[in-house]
Amino acid sequence: MVGEILKSKILRTKRSYGELLGVEPFLPWFLVLRIWFLEFFPFPSRNRSMSQEFAFQTNIGAGASHTYGIQEVLTSCPQTGELLDVQYDWDRIPVPKSLKEFEKKWSNRGNPLDFSGVWRFRELLPFAPDDQIVTIGEGQTILQNSGHVARYVGVNSGGLFLQYEGLNPSGSFKDNGMTAATTHARMVGAKIAACASTGNTSASLAIYAGTTGLLKVIVFVGSGKIAFGKLSQALDYGALTLQIEGDFDDALQQVRAVSQKAGIYLCNSVNPFRLEGQKTIMYRVLEGLGWEVPDWIVVPGGNLGNSSAFGKAFGELKQLGLIDRIPRLAVINAAGASTLYDLYENQGLRWNNGAPDAALIQSFYQQMDNENRRASTLASAIEINRPVNLEKCLRALDLCDGVVREVSDEEILDAKAQVGAGGFGCEPASGASVAGARLLRHQGVIAPSDRVVCILTGHQLKDPKATVNYHTGGENGKSGGVFQNKPIQVSNNLESILEVIGKF
Ligand code: F0G
């Protein structure tokens, strides 16, 4: 349904975009020639005018379409206030006939664009000329089949996959989006960029600025709301780091106002170009599965950029005939930060063909404010009250026959410990996806025979305090978690050490 709507919307916007360019109803000779050329010479290098002609921005939602060029720096539609999508005139763009064609890029790793796990799929996010792309080697991530976690979740052996986005240069999935956002920043000539963050977005933006020297960066974080590993990154990479009195939502509100007033380029996930990069996480999942579509994608939900990007990725792949079915999507909230869960599962909020119930959302937030309820979870990355991509996520849930669940901090930390015991580990927020998969399996929503991919969004070393407290019980003499692995005090003496090892 959404696919159809998206498609009809794309057709509508295509017309207005065509009118904007003055290329309809007759195409000028040079465009005809270019289309002919692209038809016969796939994977050409993308030049400046190509990306500017065939990519555009448009508002989401069922109302009138408004279209903007990609040189415009926007985080919402100036006319409707809605979120924006980057869309493409796919009919005029050379797209591979099958996903397998992307395998040709593997043999060309000397080219940084083909090495990048984001840009080797650039035909599916064709907004940037090749010579403008900013890459630091992001996306070298793996899909691991985990028997250990499969047993924990309760699916058949071989059916549980972990997508390790913590292996990115800054240690989280954010680099997939930041390479795209900083590319767009470069295209529009931005010199200063900013973001609000629970820690990973800021680390990512800071590393792109530090590594490339293209931008100065200002990051806004909530006071005391950021895991130390992440804060240390922003400081080390040289970002101007502002600790705002308040939480992530406060920091986001401020950075939006500051960016607007001071003309600073905003890199939060309201930036539609960032989400284009995050689509590639799904391309790599498919790549890891030999281009087969899994039954489930399970992802933690915070500001809902990832889930929104995943929905867009699958909608486009289906529309382009590159996949024949769409996997189901499960978005997992922490119980202490459960806006999406409350609205979607308890109050029945739906995409509703592009017209979600705005009054319901408003009254939910009003009540939140009246009761002074603020998000609170040990999974600090997803401690968010008002997810900015709510509407886009509803669209993704609609397209992917999605479900939303909430899991407690204990469930998150237990799942995280199981990921660690069976693989590379992850930070708490990422553990939510495994805890959510387990819950859905117990509820019978996920079947034992399903193929399930859990997205591990951040590296294990991002939040060592959470991990050490889980295993030791922390400083206050509390007992550790169910799967704790306590360090053992032993005297500085060979016999005592051998005695302890003997009991292992
Ligand atoms: N997992 C991790 C490790 C994160 O850092 C985030 C978001 C999420 C999940 C949620 O992803 O927003 O796409 O739903 N972190 C943001 C930040 C908010 O500022 O680093 P989402």
Side-chain angles (χ1 to χ4, degrees):
M1 189 65 190
V2 170
E4 286 310 305
I5 290 165
L6 247 179
K7 204 165 167 181
S8 71
K9 178 136 196 162
I10 289 165
L11 289 175
R12 268 188 289 136
T13 42
K14 211 189 292 181
R15 163 148 305 129
S16 51
Y17 189 64
E19 281 162 7
L20 208 76
L21 291 171
V23 295
E24 282 186 1
F26 301 110
L27 292 177
W29 63 269
F30 55 87
L31 268 184
V32 175
L33 260 185
R34 178 173 293 149
I35 293 162
W36 174 85
F37 174 82
L38 297 177
E39 201 46 45
F40 289 95
F41 300 95
F43 291 152
S45 96
R46 200 162 300 283
N47 64 36
R48 205 155 299 204
S49 60
M50 237 163 99
S51 42
Q52 283 175 17
E53 281 166 24
F54 303 151
F56 52 97
Q57 303 182 70
T58 181
N59 56 316
I60 68 167
S65 275
H66 302 284
T67 303
Y68 309 93
I70 55 166
Q71 284 300 321
E72 295 202 48
V73 179
L74 299 166
T75 51
S76 62
C77 173
Q79 300 187 60
T80 66
E82 291 167 300
L83 293 165
L84 293 167
D85 271 331
V86 181
Q87 294 287 7
Y88 307 97
D89 208 342
W90 293 114
D91 293 346
R92 297 183 187 169
I93 296 175
V95 182
K97 302 265 181 300
S98 97
L99 286 170
K100 217 172 158 36
E101 283 186 34
F102 284 104
E103 292 175 14
K104 287 180 197 149
K105 305 279 177 72
W106 298 348
S107 62
N108 198 24
R109 288 166 66 85
N111 173 355
L113 301 192
D114 289 339
F115 176 74
S116 165
V118 170
W119 298 106
R120 71 169 173 263
F121 297 105
R122 57 197 178 278
E123 286 74 17
L124 298 175
L125 52 149
F127 71 83
D130 287 359
D131 65 358
Q132 292 292 296
I133 288 175
V134 178
T135 174
I136 61 169
E138 58 288 317
Q140 310 305 318
T141 63
I142 63 158
L143 184 77
Q144 183 202 37
N145 185 272
S146 174
H148 184 85
V149 178
R151 276 190 295 283
Y152 181 66
V153 166
V155 297
N156 295 346
S157 164
L160 197 289
F161 297 83
L162 302 172
Q163 176 68 17
Y164 278 101
E165 288 303 311
L167 298 178
N168 273 293
S170 82
S172 87
F173 76 91
K174 301 287 179 181
D175 297 352
N176 293 286
M178 214 50 80
T179 182
T182 51
T183 293
H184 184 246
R186 183 183 191 180
M187 287 166 66
V188 299
K191 294 286 173 263
I192 307 183
C195 69
S197 183
T198 56
N200 280 327
T201 304
S202 45
S204 183
L205 179 55
I207 204 175
Y208 275 86
T211 311
T212 63
L214 289 168
L215 291 161
K216 281 181 150 181
V217 159
I218 309 169
V219 304
F220 290 55
V221 297
S223 285
K225 294 284 183 184
I226 172 171
F228 251 44
K230 305 175 188 182
L231 180 60
S232 70
Q233 290 182 286
L235 302 178
D236 227 18
Y237 302 140
L240 175 64
T241 305
L242 305 181
Q243 289 194 293
I244 306 294
E245 255 176 68
D247 57 18
F248 170 79
D249 293 73
D250 299 318
L252 184 58
Q253 203 178 346
Q254 291 299 351
V255 78
R256 287 185 87 156
V258 169
S259 301
Q260 179 109 46
K261 243 195 154 111
I264 292 172
Y265 189 89
L266 185 63
C267 286
N268 280 101
S269 52
V270 284
N271 177 331
F273 293 91
R274 224 192 81 178
L275 297 194
E276 287 306 287
Q278 287 173 219
K279 294 190 305 190
T280 65
I281 301 171
M282 291 301 101
Y283 307 152
R284 294 199 299 278
V285 164
L286 296 177
E287 190 177 47
L289 292 172
W291 309 112
E292 284 180 15
V293 178
D295 297 304
W296 286 93
I297 300 289
V298 191
V299 63
N303 234 353
L304 306 178
N306 254 349
S307 42
S308 301
F310 297 174
K312 187 168 189 282
F314 288 120
E316 289 171 349
L317 290 180
K318 184 86 186 348
Q319 183 195 339
L320 294 169
L322 293 170
I323 53 173
D324 54 11
R325 71 183 178 90
I326 289 175
R328 294 191 70 184
L329 180 67
V331 184
I332 313 299
N333 275 165
S338 58
T339 297
L340 178 68
Y341 174 74
D342 290 341
L343 281 169
Y344 187 80
E345 295 291 348
N346 295 336
Q347 308 210 24
L349 180 68
R350 289 293 182 274
W351 171 241
N352 190 27
N353 294 334
D357 187 344
L360 178 63
I361 302 171
Q362 267 324 305
S363 79
F364 181 85
Y365 287 150
Q366 191 60 54
Q367 201 176 343
M368 212 176 197
D369 289 346
N370 293 347
E371 294 169 9
N372 203 15
R373 249 188 305 129
R374 304 299 284 179
S376 174
T377 167
L378 269 172
S380 57
I382 51 176
E383 193 181 64
I384 291 171
N385 300 287
R386 298 175 189 234
V388 291
N389 289 298
L390 178 63
E391 287 84 357
K392 279 188 179 177
C393 177
L394 294 173
R395 181 176 69 180
L397 288 164
D398 187 72
L399 179 76
C400 303
D401 189 15
V403 296
V404 182
R405 290 294 182 270
E406 61 170 1
V407 288
S408 68
D409 281 0
E410 290 70 32
E411 290 169 314
I412 286 175
L413 292 176
D414 287 344
K416 173 182 141 19
Q418 287 297 296
V419 171
F424 301 159
C426 63
E427 70 164 281
S430 315
S433 59
V434 172
R438 186 168 193 257
L439 175 65
L440 287 163
R441 174 61 210 96
H442 286 183
Q443 292 174 339
V445 181
I446 290 180
S449 57
D450 282 348
R451 283 175 115 195
V452 181
V453 177
C454 292
I455 311 301
L456 300 182
T457 45
H459 198 281
Q460 196 264 0
L461 296 176
K462 289 279 190 174
D463 190 353
K465 192 170 161 202
T467 307
V468 173
N469 283 350
Y470 178 86
H471 288 291
T472 63
E475 291 132 13
N476 303 327
K478 285 195 253 165
S479 58
V482 178
F483 304 109
Q484 66 177 298
N485 178 26
K486 260 191 172 168
I488 298 165
Q489 292 286 340
V490 55
S491 34
N492 185 11
N493 156 316
L494 183 58
E495 247 170 51
S496 313
I497 295 171
L498 287 174
E499 194 188 321
V500 171
I501 291 174
K503 291 182 193 154
F504 186 56

